[in-house]
Amino acid sequence: MKFPSWLWMIAALLAWPVDQAGAQTVYPPAVISPVVVFDSFGPGNTYLTTVGWGVEGASVTAGYRGQAEWFVPGISGNLGTVQLAMFRSSGSGRSNFYLTQDNGGLPGTILESFLNVLSPGGLLTLTSTAQALLQAGNEYWLCAEPADSTTVSGWYENNQNHHPGFAFERSQWGWSAFTDTAHSPPSGVLRVSVTPVPEPAIAGLAILGMGLFARRSRKTF
């Protein structure tokens, strides 16, 4: 059976080389660079610096408040980093952040927690250790809650006129959705990066290439 030349080329590229003594050549694993799958920052990491969504503890005059923003990754991958911008108005300036699945338009199952994080007065990077798999096309939430009763902080809004709606809470994990996007202010600024995972079609092509190489080797010898 004759196979197209392009399949032989793939097989040759996928074949594991051997040296003259017959030993397998070992290469270091390929490094896959992180990819940004959602970004509402402006050019040069800019955002609105005069207004933000409140993240406030129970002892504050206005009472307890948390904020959550949703996003949909463009490709599948393992979570790498989440970036936002926060400011501290008073109190401890500490917040708890949660990356969650969606549950009917509200934050659902927690995939990773970032606890007792100090608001830096600007860009904040949360680095994942769980590296949860985020699926392209699925909705996820980043939630911010006050870490203690004294926290009075704010999640800066984006300057890209991105206002898809959000969720807020007046008691711990008591989320309510705001879905009137026509009257919603800009959402909290947010950037999400993942390490991509191979698409099934690519993995299948690799298996096919290895199979063709094995067939050709048997016929050669």
Side-chain angles (χ1 to χ4, degrees):
M1 179 178 180
K2 185 176 181 180
F3 295 98
S5 60
W6 64 271
L7 284 178
W8 292 122
M9 293 175 64
I10 292 175
L13 288 172
L14 292 172
W16 198 342
V18 296
D19 60 23
Q20 292 183 354
Q24 291 176 328
T25 302
V26 178
Y27 292 110
V31 176
I32 302 177
S33 299
V35 174
V36 174
V37 294
F38 179 83
D39 192 356
S40 62
F41 279 86
N45 286 337
T46 56
Y47 46 86
L48 297 177
T49 58
T50 58
V51 62
W53 292 103
V55 180
E56 302 172 349
S59 67
V60 178
T61 302
Y64 184 100
R65 190 182 190 283
Q67 180 74 11
E69 305 290 355
W70 63 273
F71 67 94
V72 176
I75 63 172
S76 298
N78 297 107
L79 181 64
T81 60
V82 178
Q83 292 182 305
L84 63 155
M86 295 283 293
F87 66 87
R88 171 183 173 272
S89 180
S90 63
S92 72
R94 296 185 178 275
S95 303
N96 296 329
F97 297 93
Y98 306 92
L99 193 286
T100 83
Q101 295 177 330
D102 177 72
N103 181 21
L106 289 172
T109 302
I110 295 173
L111 300 177
E112 186 164 6
S113 303
F114 307 88
L115 303 179
N116 207 33
V117 179
L118 179 64
S119 299
L123 185 66
L124 172 62
T125 299
L126 306 174
T127 301
S128 174
T129 57
Q131 298 181 345
L133 176 62
L134 305 187
Q135 298 284 357
N138 288 354
E139 190 170 307
Y140 299 90
W141 291 84
L142 181 67
C143 311
E145 292 186 333
D148 59 58
S149 63
T150 70
T151 294
V152 184
S153 297
W155 186 342
Y156 282 117
E157 296 177 5
N158 76 86
N159 60 2
Q160 300 300 294
N161 198 32
H162 180 66
H163 50 90
F166 57 90
F168 68 97
E169 60 179 3
R170 289 297 186 179
S171 61
Q172 190 171 25
W173 218 251
W175 297 104
S176 298
F178 187 92
T179 57
D180 183 4
T181 57
H183 299 92
S184 172
S187 61
V189 67
L190 180 63
R191 177 185 294 123
V192 181
S193 298
V194 305
T195 301
V197 295
E199 295 294 338
I202 296 175
L205 188 59
I207 294 172
L208 173 62
M210 290 301 291
L212 291 174
F213 177 75
R215 181 187 182 97
R216 183 170 184 264
S217 297
R218 287 196 296 271
K219 293 178 69 175
T220 299
F221 293 102

